[in-house]
Amino acid sequence: MSGSVNRPVRRRTFVLGTAAAAGSAALAGPLAESASAASFGYTDDGSNYVVDTGASLVFKVSKTNGDLTSLLYKGTEYQGYGGMNSHVESGLGASTVTIAQSGTTILISVTHGTLKHYYAARSGENNVYLWTNKADTSVSATRYIVRVKAGLFLNDQPDSYTYAPTTIESADVFEKSDGQTRSKHYSKNRVMDYDYVGWTTGGVGLWVVRSNHEKASGGPFYRSLLRHQSADGGGLYEILYYGENQTEAQRFGLQGPYVIALTDGGAPSSSLYHANLTTSWADGLGISGYTAASSRGRVAGVGITGRDTAYAYTVGLANSAAQYWGSARASDGYFSIAGVLPGTYTLTVFKGELAVYTSSVAVTAGGTTTLNSIAIPASNDPSNASAIWRIGNWDGSPSGFKNADLMTYAHPSDVRAASWTGNVVVGSGTETSAFPCYLWKDVNSGIIVYFKLTAAQSSAAHTLRIGVTTAYANGRPQVVVNDTWTSAVPSPPTQPSTRSLTVGSYRGNNYTFTYSVPASAWLTDAGAYNTLKIYVASGSGTTSFLSAGTSVDAIDLLA
């Protein structure tokens, strides 16, 4: 991997776009000039500003509220389902909408109170560029949603949002007749895992290319709504801020550009991806909150030592105003993060999703802050501690535990989920895959772990550690050893206050609970199995999968 700027980890998926997936399709992508570029311009039909890109795309924006009311590509209307337009949030309402042309660029500006939203078109491109500047909480703007007419794209994705016969949770999680679950929440991917999201028929592709999310919240591992399909149409999202299972406060300011891209069926041009997109043509458009590339800085690190090479490492920058991230090179840990707003940031190095190093770094306009090799202290990675036994590994996620992969795109009640109960035997070789990724007070509290100790080990006190990644309703583990020693109920750490485990996200604030178990708690017979019972303690939550719960990162007994 080269030291390219702020480039996310790619996943080769059909709907969630990657640079690798673009391939040769980008050559015929939305930046290709059209012979009809001479028709570039706009008109006013009385209700809408009508923009002809001079390629194959004509779109309309309401002069009343700034909604996108038409998206006509090669003569086919793609906009609209259920009588709704495409818009910020669920529609801004009465707004001031203006339009201006500057050479080969048309800019539509929408003002609604303190919020400003923009649409831009470039001559000869089948793209709509968008920016949204949310200044405060006076407007509940958390997304832009492109609403697509029904029947234009096949609803064939495993996590598609479909109106199924049975509603099983909060009017937004459904169960099909075959027992599989669906929800618009089940994005499956973290924000760092995709560049674009959308659909293709093979002859037409409709995509939303995401922004760099510098003013969003939640960091590189955050999961949120990406798209949904149902009987009356589909929606493609750019999430500006989302409160579900959110670990950070809302940031304010300009987000974008993000892009609605129409293609001949291939992936959107890789030149549109946030890591590559240059918008020098937008520098002089007067977009509120816009910061040109020349007024941004870069952070580069020559390497990271003390890494566990079995894991990918990510470097994040964050302060109250902005967030950024980049991948560390597998060979030496080199990283480079560009396009950063000036300021002082907390730099965090993540092993997988577990923070193992933090420091402070200052970024200046037009400058590069070069960091010497970062050395991760051995004590910062809990995997380095000598353990008698360990279930899972310390990487900030429940990866490897039972049902962990499924839970990013399904409800825990899904027919595809293995039983959430069942005991675990250390040394069986299946202790991690047999241990459920989530524990709930009303579902599988009291799960038993069986393990043996040598005579020397059973004569000494030991520290038990349980790492969690998030919790719902203050769920936290209380343990009982051999039915004779019971830990105190630990205090709950700070975690998101909304649903998490049932809406496809295990990401919260990683936390380690420690329990000092006295020697008197162990069995003295070296051939006997000790038992560890793990209960979920909390006075909150309701029932079943909405009872208090927690997600597991790793469990170990230290030597």
Side-chain angles (χ1 to χ4, degrees):
M1 180 186 297
S2 68
S4 57
V5 172
N6 199 20
R7 188 176 302 279
V9 175
R10 313 293 193 192
R11 286 189 180 178
R12 295 177 180 270
T13 57
F14 180 72
V15 168
L16 297 174
T18 69
S24 60
L27 299 178
L31 292 183
E33 293 288 333
S34 168
S36 62
S39 64
F40 176 74
Y42 71 90
T43 58
D44 182 340
D45 70 4
S47 298
N48 307 278
Y49 290 120
V50 183
V51 178
D52 188 332
T53 65
S56 300
L57 176 64
V58 178
F59 66 91
K60 298 180 181 181
V61 174
S62 168
K63 295 167 57 180
T64 301
N65 56 25
D67 284 2
L68 183 70
T69 61
S70 176
L71 197 63
L72 193 71
Y73 180 66
K74 293 184 177 181
T76 299
E77 179 63 67
Y78 287 87
Q79 150 58 38
Y81 71 80
M84 293 181 284
N85 297 322
S86 300
H87 38 219
V88 175
E89 195 58 8
S90 295
L92 293 175
S95 303
T96 300
V97 184
T98 60
I99 191 167
Q101 181 171 343
S102 177
T104 58
T105 302
I106 293 171
L107 182 71
I108 297 175
S109 303
V110 181
T111 301
H112 180 81
T114 61
L115 183 138
K116 298 181 184 298
H117 179 70
Y118 303 92
Y119 301 89
R122 297 276 288 160
S123 177
E125 297 182 10
N126 293 315
N127 304 319
V128 183
Y129 297 86
L130 303 96
W131 291 262
T132 305
N133 189 337
K134 182 178 180 181
D136 51 44
T137 60
S138 63
V139 179
S140 178
T142 60
R143 67 182 181 184
Y144 191 93
I145 180 169
V146 180
R147 302 188 186 272
V148 184
K149 291 176 65 175
L152 296 176
F153 298 100
L154 181 65
N155 184 11
D156 63 351
Q157 296 303 313
D159 57 340
S160 292
Y161 175 50
T162 57
Y163 293 125
T166 305
T167 302
I168 61 174
E169 186 177 302
S170 192
D172 59 10
V173 183
F174 306 95
E175 183 180 71
K176 296 174 63 178
S177 58
D178 62 2
Q180 292 192 13
T181 54
R182 297 287 188 267
S183 175
K184 62 183 179 181
H185 296 286
Y186 297 151
S187 63
K188 194 173 185 178
N189 281 255
R190 307 168 302 177
V191 68
M192 69 179 290
D193 294 330
Y194 70 97
D195 291 311
Y196 58 88
V197 59
W199 300 295
T200 181
T201 64
V204 173
L206 175 56
W207 318 96
V208 168
V209 183
R210 76 167 175 87
S211 69
N212 68 352
H213 279 219
E214 71 180 1
K215 295 292 186 178
S217 297
F221 314 121
Y222 190 64
R223 286 180 166 85
S224 191
L225 288 69
L226 295 180
R227 61 169 179 77
H228 74 259
Q229 281 181 293
S230 59
D232 57 356
L236 301 176
Y237 295 90
E238 167 71 342
I239 295 299
L240 308 174
Y241 172 79
Y242 199 59
E244 197 86 73
N245 204 40
Q246 182 59 253
T247 59
E248 293 184 299
Q250 185 171 4
R251 294 181 172 94
F252 299 105
L254 185 70
Q255 297 202 55
Y258 49 102
V259 187
I260 303 170
L262 281 297
T263 73
D264 57 4
S269 171
S270 60
S271 61
L272 295 178
Y273 302 167
H274 65 91
N276 299 325
L277 182 60
T278 57
T279 52
S280 56
W281 52 265
D283 289 355
L285 294 180
I287 295 172
S288 174
Y290 183 91
T291 303
S294 60
S295 297
R296 295 170 176 267
R298 183 171 76 102
V299 176
V302 300
I304 303 172
T305 62
R307 292 173 297 121
D308 181 340
T309 57
Y311 292 87
Y313 282 70
T314 302
V315 180
L317 303 176
N319 61 21
S320 61
Q323 62 171 6
Y324 307 91
W325 57 83
S327 297
R329 193 159 61 194
S331 60
D332 56 9
Y334 168 86
F335 62 91
S336 179
I337 305 173
V340 180
L341 293 171
T344 300
Y345 294 85
T346 296
L347 180 151
T348 305
V349 177
F350 297 93
K351 168 198 172 186
E353 298 185 17
L354 183 68
V356 292
Y357 177 88
T358 60
S359 65
S360 180
V361 61
V363 179
T364 58
T368 295
T369 302
T370 302
L371 304 177
N372 293 326
S373 184
I374 293 173
I376 300 173
S379 59
N380 284 16
D381 184 346
S383 297
N384 290 327
S386 178
I388 297 171
W389 53 260
R390 178 170 292 143
I391 301 174
N393 202 358
W394 298 88
D395 64 356
S397 82
S399 177
F401 285 92
K402 184 165 63 175
N403 294 326
D405 289 341
L406 179 65
M407 286 303 96
T408 62
Y409 62 94
H411 191 269
S413 66
D414 195 288
V415 68
R416 292 168 291 180
S419 172
W420 289 103
T421 58
N423 301 322
V424 177
V425 180
V426 173
S428 64
T430 62
E431 50 265 64
T432 299
S433 60
F435 197 101
C437 62
Y438 299 162
L439 300 173
W440 289 273
K441 186 175 182 178
D442 204 33
V443 176
N444 55 358
S445 183
I447 189 168
I448 303 175
V449 177
Y450 294 90
F451 60 96
K452 293 182 178 180
L453 297 176
T454 66
Q457 290 167 343
S458 62
S459 65
H462 297 286
T463 297
L464 174 75
R465 302 188 300 183
I466 300 179
V468 302
T469 69
T470 194
Y472 176 69
N474 285 332
R476 65 270 196 196
Q478 181 182 27
V479 302
V480 176
V481 176
N482 291 322
D483 293 325
T484 60
W485 182 86
T486 302
S487 73
V489 177
S491 298
T494 300
Q495 295 290 4
S497 59
T498 60
R499 288 179 298 166
S500 54
L501 308 181
T502 60
V503 290
S505 179
Y506 58 76
R507 181 67 185 168
N509 295 310
N510 293 109
Y511 186 84
T512 302
F513 294 92
T514 60
Y515 310 84
S516 298
V517 185
S520 59
W522 312 122
L523 299 180
T524 56
D525 183 354
Y529 277 104
N530 290 267
T531 61
L532 168 68
K533 294 181 180 178
I534 304 175
Y535 295 90
V536 177
S538 177
S540 304
T542 56
T543 60
S544 189
F545 297 110
L546 287 179
S547 63
T550 191
S551 171
V552 181
D553 178 12
I555 306 170
D556 57 21
L557 185 67
L558 299 186

